[in-house]
Amino acid sequence: MRRILIIGATSAIAQAAARLWAARREALYLVGRDPARLESIAADLRIRGAARVDHAVMDATDIAAHAAVIERAASFLGGLDTVLIAHGTLSDQTACQESVARTLAEINLNGLSVVALLTLLGNRFEQQRSGTIAVICSVAGDRGRSSNYVYGSAKALVSAFLSGLRQRLHRTGVAVVTLKPGFVDTPMTAAFAKGVLWVAPARVAKGLVAAIDRGRPVAYLPGFWRPIMFLVRAIPERWFRTLKL
Amino acid sequence: MPRGMVSSWGNLVHADHELRRLASRHADFPQLPARCSVLPFGNGRSYGDSCLNVGGVLLEMRALDRFIAFDRETGVIACEAGVLLDELLAITVPAGWFVPVTPGTRFVTVGGAIANDVHGKNHHVAGTFGCHVRRFELLRSSGARLACSPTENPEWLAATIGGLGLTGVITWAEIQLRRIAGPWLDVETLRFGGLAEFFELCAQSDRDWEHTVAWIDCTRSPGSGLGRGLLQRANHLERGPVGHVDKASRAAARGLRVPFAPPVSLVNGPTLRAFNTFYYHRQRASRKKALQHYESFFYPLDGIRNWNRLYGPRGFYQYQCVVAPESGREAIAELLACVAASGQGSFLAVLKLFGAPASPGMLSFPMQGVTLALDFPNRGAKLARLFAQLDELVAAAGGRLYPAKDARMPGSLFRSGYPRWREFVPFIDPRHSSSFWRRVMAAE
C-alpha cells in the first residue's frame, strides 16, 4: 500500500489518477479548495477501493498553510511515499496582458505556490531518502507561445525547478517526475473546440500513474507529445516569432 | 461555447449541437442561451432521436461519475447519474452484488437507465430498472431540487422514470442491487421449431429461470421455418465457478472493435440469411448447457466496440414493439411473416415475454405481453413502407414501440401506445425538450 498525497485533488486529471490508485487499494490524502467536492471525491474513492482516504482544505497560494497540511497528511497516512501536485488554472492570456495583477496572480498560483511546496517536500523527501515527487506541468512550459505564455512561463519555471531538484535528490533515491500533459478534455478546457490531439483525463492519468511507478524523469502525456514538442522547440526563434501559435 | 457533432447509436442523424457539461451533482443548472431548450445526454446509446436535441443544447452528464455510498451488507448503492453500469458492476460484482435489471449493453448511464426505464431478460420476475430505484434527485431548470421516491414526490418519480430526460436532470440515484454468489450464470440454450413451441417453452421456463430470452430466425417465410430459433434461459450460479468457461467471454475480453464504418452496410440480404442459418444450426443438440460469465451472457455485443458501424454510413433502425398477451401470439406471427415477405430480415430478432410486474413510469415501455426487437439497415423508402405495415399490426394488437430504440414512429402511434402522455405533459421542465418529443408531439 502506497501513501499518496494529492494537492489539487479536485482537478480532473488528479481525480482520474486517484481512481486508479484507489483500485490498487492505496491510501490517499486529498488537498483542495472546495470542501464539498473534496468530500464527494473522498467518498467515491473509498467505494472504489482506497485503503484510507481523508482530505484537507487549502488554498495553494496560502504559502503559510503548506507545512501544516503536509504534516497532517503525513500523520494521517503514517508517512508519505508519493506526492502529486496537480493544482492550477489555465490562465486567460488576453485578460493577463491587460493586468499586471492578474498576470502575477497566475504566475503565483501556477508557478510560485508549486515552488514553495516543492521546497518543503524536497527537504522532507531528502531526509527520508525514498519516495516520489510528481508535478503536473504542461507542454505549454516547453516554449512560450503568444496564445498562452503567462501560463506557459509559470509551467516553465516549475519544469526548470524540478530539473534541478531531480539532480539534487538523485543520489538519495528520491524520484522527481515532471508530467507534461498536452490537450486534455477537462472542465478547465471546457470552452475550447476539441481536435484530434485532445484526450480524456483517464488516458492521461494512466500514463501519469505508470510514469510515477517507474520514476520516469519527464513524461509527456500521451507520449506523442514528445516528438511534437521536440519539433516545436527546434524551430529557430527568428521563425518562431512569425508563427501564430 | 463548445459545439459538437452528436449522433445516437443508430447513426441515422449526425447533428451539430450546442454542448454544456454538468461538472458535479452540486453544480447549478447551467446557463442556457435564450429560447434554447436542453436535454441531458448520457452515453448516447439510445438508437434514435430520444437522446438528441437538434437545434438545442445537450447537457453532457458523463462527468457526474462518482459513487456516493455503497452498503455492502444490504446492496444499496447511491451514485451520480453519469456512472455507467459498466463502472458500477466493476465495483459491485466483486462485492457480490449485481444490477437488479440490465439492458443488453453495460455502456449506459444510470440516469439513462432510469430515463428510459430499461428492461432486461428478467422482466418476468424483476420488472424494469425503475422498479429498483429507491430514490433520486431531480434538478429542474428553476434551480429546484426534488428528492423523488415512492414516498416523496411520487408523482415526479412516476413522470421521471421512463420520462426520457424531459422532466429535469437526474443528478444522482439510489438503487437496490441483487445478491449474487459470483460472476457466473448457469445457461441453457434450447432449439425450437416455431412460435407455438416458443410460447410453450417460454411459459415453462419463466417459472424456474430468472433470465429468459429468445432469438428468432426472421429470414424464414411461413412454411419454411418461420419463427424457429433458440431460447436461452439462465440463473445466477449459487456457488463459485465450476466446470469450463465459455469461450465468448474471452473474445469479449480481447476487445474486438469496428474501427470505422464500411462504405456500405455489411448487413444485407445474403449475409443476413447466411448468418441466421448458421446461428440456428450452430447448436446441433436441442439443448445445450453451459457456464457463462455475466459479460458474455448479458452483453455479447459489448465485446465488439462500435458494432453499430457494421451497418455502414447510413446507419440502422431498431424496431422494438410490445403487444398485449391476448393478441400477442397472432400479432408476432404476422409481424414476422411481414418482415420475411419484405426480404429485409433482421440480423438478430429478439423475442421475450414481459411479465406481470407493473412499470413505475407514466411513459415506461414494458407492459405485460410479448416484445419483439428487430434491426434493419437503413434502406430509405423501402424500409419506411415495411415499418408502416408493422405499425398497423402493432396498433391493432394494442401495442406500442420503445422510444429509446425509435427514430421514426408516427405521433399517432406514440399517443395511442402511451395513453398517459397527457398526464405526463405537465411534468415536462419548461426548458427541456428533445428531437423525439417534438417529433411525436407534432400535429399530424
Side-chain angles (χ1 to χ4, degrees):
Chain A
M1 182 196 71
R2 242 195 258 215
R3 299 160 299 180
I4 305 171
L5 164 63
I6 306 176
I7 297 168
T10 58
S11 92
I13 296 174
Q15 267 189 77
R19 287 180 180 184
L20 296 175
W21 283 322
R24 292 191 341 196
R25 310 267 181 269
E26 318 284 22
L28 303 166
Y29 196 86
L30 316 176
V31 176
R33 265 183 315 177
D34 181 341
R37 290 187 64 202
L38 285 169
E39 188 73 62
S40 63
I41 293 166
D44 176 67
L45 294 172
R46 278 184 207 110
I47 294 166
R48 288 175 189 268
R52 308 182 66 198
V53 189
D54 200 356
H55 64 272
V57 177
M58 181 185 89
D59 184 332
T61 58
D62 180 7
I63 310 275
H66 289 180
V69 167
I70 293 170
E71 212 41 64
R72 272 167 67 191
S75 82
F76 171 78
L77 296 170
L80 296 177
D81 299 311
T82 302
V83 177
L84 173 65
I85 300 179
H87 70 271
T89 54
L90 187 52
S91 323
D92 180 336
Q93 176 66 29
T94 331
C96 285
Q97 280 163 218
E98 282 155 19
S99 157
V100 173
R102 183 120 188 215
T103 298
L104 295 186
E106 293 293 340
I107 303 240
N108 186 33
L109 176 63
N110 292 309
L112 298 181
S113 74
V114 181
V115 164
L117 284 162
L118 287 173
T119 303
L120 295 177
L121 291 165
N123 293 342
R124 184 184 186 98
F125 277 66
E126 185 176 41
Q127 273 180 16
Q128 72 184 37
R129 304 185 66 81
S130 69
T132 306
I133 299 171
V135 182
I136 300 185
C137 293
S138 170
V139 294
D142 279 15
R143 193 151 193 190
R145 293 172 298 122
S146 64
S147 61
N148 73 343
Y149 62 86
V150 173
Y151 177 75
S153 57
K155 292 295 192 185
L157 161 65
V158 175
S159 291
F161 192 95
L162 286 169
S163 168
L165 187 65
R166 178 157 42 243
Q167 271 196 340
R168 175 184 142 203
L169 297 184
H170 179 64
R171 255 160 285 150
T172 67
V174 174
V176 175
V177 179
T178 307
L179 301 156
K180 294 186 175 178
F183 299 144
V184 187
D185 187 4
T186 69
M188 190 167 94
T189 57
F192 288 74
K194 310 289 189 299
V196 287
L197 293 175
W198 290 80
V199 297
R203 177 156 174 215
V204 169
K206 222 170 154 183
L208 178 155
V209 167
I212 290 177
D213 282 346
R214 286 185 218 128
R216 287 179 58 186
V218 179
Y220 284 87
L221 304 169
F224 62 70
W225 282 100
R226 189 177 289 274
I228 293 176
M229 294 318 293
F230 178 79
L231 293 175
V232 170
R233 282 196 312 271
I235 303 171
E237 195 67 26
R238 69 160 61 218
W239 294 334
F240 196 74
R241 67 182 173 177
T242 66
L243 301 177
K244 277 193 175 159
L245 283 174
Chain B
M1 269 299 150
R3 302 186 65 87
M5 294 297 283
V6 182
S7 62
S8 60
W9 192 244
N11 277 333
L12 290 160
V13 190
H14 299 260
D16 185 41
H17 285 80
E18 190 128 351
L19 304 174
R20 291 287 185 285
R21 198 178 291 184
L22 216 53
S24 92
R25 65 179 183 275
H26 308 295
D28 292 334
F29 196 91
Q31 292 290 320
L32 300 173
R35 291 187 302 282
C36 219
S37 69
V38 67
L39 184 72
F41 184 89
N43 207 35
R45 290 301 176 110
S46 295
Y47 286 63
D49 54 1
S50 66
C51 63
L52 300 178
N53 188 22
V54 179
V57 176
L58 287 179
L59 183 61
E60 294 179 83
M61 298 296 293
R62 275 285 288 131
L64 266 70
D65 63 349
R66 290 180 202 101
F67 293 98
I68 299 167
F70 178 27
D71 186 329
R72 285 159 205 262
E73 301 302 311
T74 61
V76 174
I77 192 160
C79 64
E80 292 180 344
V83 170
L84 296 179
L85 295 190
D86 180 52
E87 297 164 335
L88 188 121
L89 291 167
I91 303 291
T92 65
V93 169
W97 296 97
F98 202 74
V99 278
V101 165
T102 179
T105 170
R106 61 189 190 280
F107 298 118
V108 298
T109 62
V110 167
I114 296 171
N116 293 286
D117 199 14
V118 299
H119 58 272
K121 300 172 182 180
N122 61 351
H123 183 273
H124 57 285
V125 291
T128 63
F129 191 87
C131 297
H132 308 271
V133 174
R134 292 163 51 103
R135 208 157 173 258
F136 61 80
E137 181 186 76
L138 188 68
L139 172 61
R140 301 268 295 172
S141 62
S142 62
R145 291 175 186 266
L146 301 176
C148 302
S149 73
T151 54
E152 307 151 277
N153 299 308
E155 68 287 3
W156 286 95
L157 181 91
T160 302
I161 293 178
L164 303 168
L166 296 166
T167 61
V169 178
I170 301 169
T171 55
W172 58 264
E174 189 180 280
I175 296 147
Q176 175 64 58
L177 302 172
R178 179 210 186 285
R179 187 50 109 181
I180 50 167
W184 304 98
L185 291 112
D186 180 19
V187 184
E188 271 190 27
T189 310
L190 297 92
R191 254 163 81 150
F192 57 86
L195 282 179
E197 217 179 309
F198 159 78
F199 282 105
E200 197 180 312
L201 261 180
C202 212
Q204 215 179 76
S205 305
D206 282 356
R207 282 197 294 273
D208 302 319
W209 299 81
E210 179 175 348
H211 302 281
T212 60
V213 69
W215 161 84
I216 296 241
D217 179 351
C218 62
T219 58
R220 298 277 141 182
S221 53
S224 74
L226 174 79
R228 73 179 190 181
L230 302 171
L231 177 99
Q232 254 195 346
R233 54 193 194 187
N235 281 322
H236 290 277
L237 215 59
E238 297 299 334
R239 283 178 300 280
V242 282
H244 78 287
V245 174
D246 191 86
K247 276 179 285 186
S249 57
R250 289 204 201 102
R254 271 201 304 272
L256 301 172
R257 64 185 301 146
V258 181
F260 57 89
V264 293
S265 173
L266 296 181
V267 183
N268 51 41
T271 61
L272 273 173
R273 207 171 159 86
F275 174 82
N276 276 271
T277 303
F278 164 77
Y279 202 85
Y280 182 70
H281 289 288
R282 194 178 62 149
Q283 174 169 341
R284 295 234 158 251
S286 65
R287 171 187 300 210
K288 189 180 89 173
K289 287 168 82 78
L291 205 60
Q292 263 187 305
H293 191 268
Y294 77 85
E295 286 185 4
S296 73
F297 177 73
F298 289 112
Y299 315 114
L301 285 172
D302 283 350
I304 309 163
R305 296 253 159 160
N306 298 109
W307 60 263
N308 55 338
R309 289 178 178 159
L310 289 173
Y311 285 90
R314 296 184 69 192
F316 72 107
Y317 286 91
Q318 180 153 114
Y319 192 91
Q320 183 169 0
C321 62
V322 57
V323 289
E326 319 77 72
S327 46
R329 292 181 181 223
E330 275 170 42
I332 296 293
E334 284 169 19
L335 286 164
L336 286 175
C338 197
V339 172
S342 78
Q344 304 184 63
S346 161
F347 202 39
L348 278 180
V350 175
L351 199 55
K352 152 104 197 135
L353 291 189
F354 281 153
S359 298
M362 293 175 190
L363 299 186
S364 293
F365 164 68
M367 63 178 195
Q368 189 160 21
V370 197
T371 183
L372 172 68
L374 306 154
D375 291 343
F376 299 95
N378 179 10
R379 290 209 185 91
K382 191 177 160 205
L383 183 60
R385 283 195 294 277
L386 171 63
F387 281 152
Q389 291 174 343
L390 300 181
D391 286 349
E392 267 179 49
L393 293 170
V394 170
R400 60 196 184 200
L401 303 187
Y402 191 6
K405 306 272 180 83
D406 179 68
R408 39 73 45 197
M409 80 166 103
S412 56
L413 182 60
F414 173 79
R415 293 190 292 264
S416 68
Y418 294 88
R420 292 180 75 186
W421 73 269
R422 280 178 205 282
E423 188 189 340
F424 171 76
V425 166
F427 291 94
I428 299 175
D429 187 289
R431 295 310 297 269
H432 282 231
S433 184
S434 69
S435 292
F436 172 86
W437 191 252
R438 290 190 292 275
R439 177 164 62 78
V440 298
M441 284 294 127
E444 293 289 283

